């Protein structure tokens, strides 16, 4: 699975837009990019997933440039309850034998301040 | 509420005890997973079950013994644990083969303390 690099921590204020960038230089052709959110003492929660260009759902947007070597999770107008660790993962659903294996890094701790 | 439940939510056990963690998913998924999350460390995948068959064991010590009697239930049997085994144990499930990438649904976890 491709290795990902993302900032250890970020600070923001309520109402701001937050962009968290993840680098995945050795992403493979079949890899998808997935983001999870984790609150303290809870399991991670799926946020968004994409392959290329832009994906938007009710929670966030995911921007993926043409070379797919990085991706940016965009959280519009964050609130205090968005304080959490955000994980970027890349992987392929068809890499036989490990097609359902998630490898989590350290993630980005986003702290939203009042 | 993700559709994945875990019991107990908290567990304190001595090193000589035997206990079991239980996970149940109500999503109709056919793959289930155990993860360990120690303080300030990334989640570590422990075991993977696909259609009740264990397909992955990430070099987990034998004092952790998983059991998957059916696609909806997953257990983690614990015996003679060490204090360093204290952690949050998370269960997850997903549909395989995944159509696109990896969407796993996690339970709330069991906070285990070994004394």
């Amino acid at each position: 699975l491709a290795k990902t690099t993302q900032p250890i921590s970020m600070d923001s204020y309520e109402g701001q837009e937050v962009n968290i960038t993840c680098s995945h230089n050795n992403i493979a052709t079949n890899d998808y990019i997935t983001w999870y959110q984790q609150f303290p003492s809870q399991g991670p929660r799926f946020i968004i997933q994409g392959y290329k260009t832009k994906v938007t759902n009710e929670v966030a947007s995911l921007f993926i440039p043409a070379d797919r070597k990085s991706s940016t999770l965009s959280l519009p107008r964050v609130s205090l309850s968005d304080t959490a660790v955000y994980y970027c993962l890349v992987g392929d659903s068809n890499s036989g034998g490990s097609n359902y294996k998630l490898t989590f890094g350290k993630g980005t701790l986003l702290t939203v301040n009042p | 509420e993700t559709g994945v439940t875990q019991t107990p939510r908290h567990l304190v056990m001595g090193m000589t005890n035997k206990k079991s963690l239980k996970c149940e998913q109500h999503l109709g998924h056919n793959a289930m997973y155990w993860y360990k999350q120690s303080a300030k460390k990334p989640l570590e995948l422990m075991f993977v079950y696909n259609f009740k068959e264990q397909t992955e064991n990430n070099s987990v010590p034998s004092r952790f013994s998983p059991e998957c009697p059916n696609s909806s239930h997953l257990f983690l049997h614990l015996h003679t644990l060490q204090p360093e085994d204290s952690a949050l144990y998370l269960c997850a499930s997903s549909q395989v083969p995944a159509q696109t990438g990896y969407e796993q649904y996690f339970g709330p976890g069991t906070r285990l303390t070994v004394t």
Side-chain angles (χ1 to χ4, degrees):
Chain A
L1 294 174
K3 180 181 176 181
T4 60
T5 302
Q6 50 184 126
I8 297 295
S9 64
M10 293 182 68
D11 280 279
S12 182
Y13 293 92
E14 284 189 289
Q16 287 187 334
E17 178 185 77
V18 172
N19 296 308
I20 306 174
T21 297
C22 178
S23 297
H24 27 81
N25 290 319
N26 59 339
I27 189 169
T29 302
N30 294 330
D31 284 347
Y32 282 78
I33 300 157
T34 310
W35 286 80
Y36 281 77
Q37 173 193 57
Q38 186 180 24
F39 298 111
S41 297
Q42 293 186 26
R45 182 177 73 102
F46 173 90
I47 303 176
I48 197 166
Q49 184 180 86
Y51 184 79
K52 62 180 179 180
T53 63
K54 176 184 174 181
V55 179
T56 298
N57 61 22
E58 65 278 6
V59 177
S61 293
L62 180 59
F63 298 92
I64 306 169
D67 66 5
R68 305 198 329 119
K69 293 184 183 299
S70 67
S71 59
T72 299
L73 174 72
S74 181
L75 304 172
R77 301 178 62 81
V78 293
S79 64
L80 296 177
S81 61
D82 291 317
T83 294
V85 177
Y86 292 83
Y87 298 96
C88 165
L89 301 96
V90 297
D92 167 27
S93 65
N94 295 313
S95 54
S98 298
N99 62 346
Y100 35 81
K101 180 176 178 177
L102 284 179
T103 302
F104 285 83
K106 293 184 178 180
T108 297
L109 173 60
L110 171 66
T111 302
V112 180
N113 300 292
Chain B
E1 183 65 45
T2 62
V4 180
T5 59
Q6 290 186 244
T7 55
R9 294 294 308 277
H10 301 272
L11 177 63
V12 179
M13 59 185 289
M15 288 189 285
T16 59
N17 292 157
K18 290 185 179 181
K19 296 287 184 183
S20 295
L21 309 184
K22 179 182 176 182
C23 175
E24 183 174 0
Q25 58 97 358
H26 312 273
L27 301 167
H29 290 163
N30 48 28
M32 296 188 77
Y33 315 78
W34 279 116
Y35 289 85
K36 173 185 178 183
Q37 187 171 35
S38 303
K40 299 183 179 181
K41 287 187 178 180
L43 277 81
E44 303 171 55
L45 179 64
M46 300 174 71
F47 301 104
V48 181
Y49 277 83
N50 185 14
F51 291 97
K52 302 187 299 179
E53 298 297 321
Q54 186 180 127
T55 56
E56 186 139 354
N57 176 337
N58 268 3
S59 303
V60 180
S62 59
R63 57 186 184 270
F64 294 92
S65 175
E67 179 189 0
C68 188
N70 55 61
S71 293
S72 298
H73 294 85
L74 185 64
F75 295 89
L76 187 62
H77 304 299
L78 315 171
H79 62 97
T80 59
L81 294 191
Q82 304 298 311
E84 60 264 29
D85 297 322
S86 298
L88 181 67
Y89 288 85
L90 291 157
C91 172
S93 71
S94 71
Q95 189 64 26
V96 290
Q99 295 302 307
T100 57
Y102 302 86
E103 183 166 354
Q104 291 190 5
Y105 293 77
F106 285 80
T110 294
R111 174 67 63 186
L112 173 67
T113 303
V114 181
T115 61

